[in-house]
Amino acid sequence: MPTPTYTAIATITLASTDSEIVFSSIPATYRDLVLVVKPIVSTTAFGQIRFNGVSTSSYSWVYAYGDSGGAGSVASSNTFIDANAMNTNFQGIYQIMDYSATDKHKTVLHRTGDLTANYVVMQASRFASTAAITSINFFVTSNTFNARTTLSLYGIEA
Amino acid sequence: MILIEHQELASAAASITFSSIPQTYTDLYLIFSIRQSSSGVNQALLEFNGSSSNFSFRFLQGSGSAASSGTNTLNFGGLVQGSASTSNTFASNSLYIPNYSGSTAKSWSIDAVTENNATEAYQHLVAGLWNQTAAITSIAIKPYSGNLVQYSSATLYGILAGSDGITSVS
């Protein structure tokens, strides 16, 4: 029997504007999670991710990017994961590895890009917690997601 | 992730094309392994609904010796192994198209690598846009020049969003 992949967990398409989308009560059934984000925004918005509502300095990341200035790499940390800038044509895929494990910090692999903002990014992020991830907050600051913004969460079984 | 169709070329051909793509999924995921009969440029070409127009993309590239980034408005989509590279090697690509059946412009992303028993090989991360609101009903993969060689292959999957009845989202 093939191992199921991309099993649908939850999805939302906004009917009106909102600045934060929360996935709660994520079961520990799977090995990895995949979050696909297709936002609708009016102006550039900076996406951010938190797990389990943790807002302390528990997040760090490194990314390689390509934009109009060329290619480069950045490492940083904060009280959230930088989910990258979003404009009209953003697409983001976030793979959350071993999300339900209780013996390791959590790794997120990002593939994001936006032709309006004219960049592409590959990123690895870390949530410095051994707690299983049971909720995901995806939000923007100083901006909102417009109606028809879609976020879909999938599980991948081992 | 549900298999829609797999194709492998029994002989050289101008393209690998998926037609009449069902509109019942949320996203599409296409994995392709391709080599072309001519040498030179390693860019593969994409067509949606038979069209090579209204494409644009930005890529991040590693070449084995340098990292760079660029943008273009041609229908480049991933990498194809050229005939001058190591025998029996094929470029590997994965293309993700969210909301392919929706009524907005279609963004897409590609991870791609070539293989070569030499210091020059390419890795691309691409953010692309097909600036059309029509649902995608066909996808064609083409070489930059020449034909796709025998054993080039592609597999199309559909990904369906939904609810597990346990997780809440708001």
Side-chain angles (χ1 to χ4, degrees), chain A residues 2-4 29-32 98 155-158:
Chain A
T3 299
T29 313
Y30 307 98
R31 170 64 68 183
D32 305 326
D98 288 328
I156 298 177
E157 294 186 27

Side-chain angles (χ1 to χ4, degrees), chain A residues 5 9 22 24 38 91 115 118, chain B residues 1 58 98 109 164 168 170:
Chain A
T5 60
I9 294 177
V22 183
S24 304
K38 189 71 177 72
Q91 172 184 311
L115 263 294
N118 198 17
Chain B
M1 186 181 297
R58 171 164 287 281
S109 64
D164 62 359
S168 62
S170 59

Side-chain angles (χ1 to χ4, degrees), chain B residues 30-127:
Chain B
L30 177 63
I31 300 175
F32 50 105
S33 173
I34 54 176
R35 184 182 178 99
Q36 67 184 17
S37 58
S38 63
S39 62
V41 177
N42 289 320
Q43 294 282 3
L45 302 178
L46 272 182
E47 289 183 3
F48 293 154
N49 298 358
S51 173
S52 59
S53 302
N54 300 295
F55 282 84
S56 57
F57 66 91
R58 171 164 287 281
F59 66 90
L60 174 63
Q61 173 178 282
S63 67
S65 59
S68 61
S69 181
T71 188
N72 205 307
T73 55
L74 298 176
N75 59 321
F76 288 173
L79 294 169
V80 60
Q81 203 75 22
S83 61
S85 57
T86 304
S87 300
N88 302 313
T89 59
F90 290 72
S92 298
N93 299 263
S94 61
L95 164 67
Y96 197 97
I97 312 171
N99 296 351
Y100 72 103
S101 65
S103 57
T104 58
K106 308 300 183 293
S107 60
W108 46 272
S109 64
I110 290 181
D111 285 357
V113 293
T114 62
E115 298 178 30
N116 198 21
N117 190 19
T119 55
E120 184 178 85
Y122 291 90
Q123 180 181 19
H124 276 192
L125 176 66
V126 184

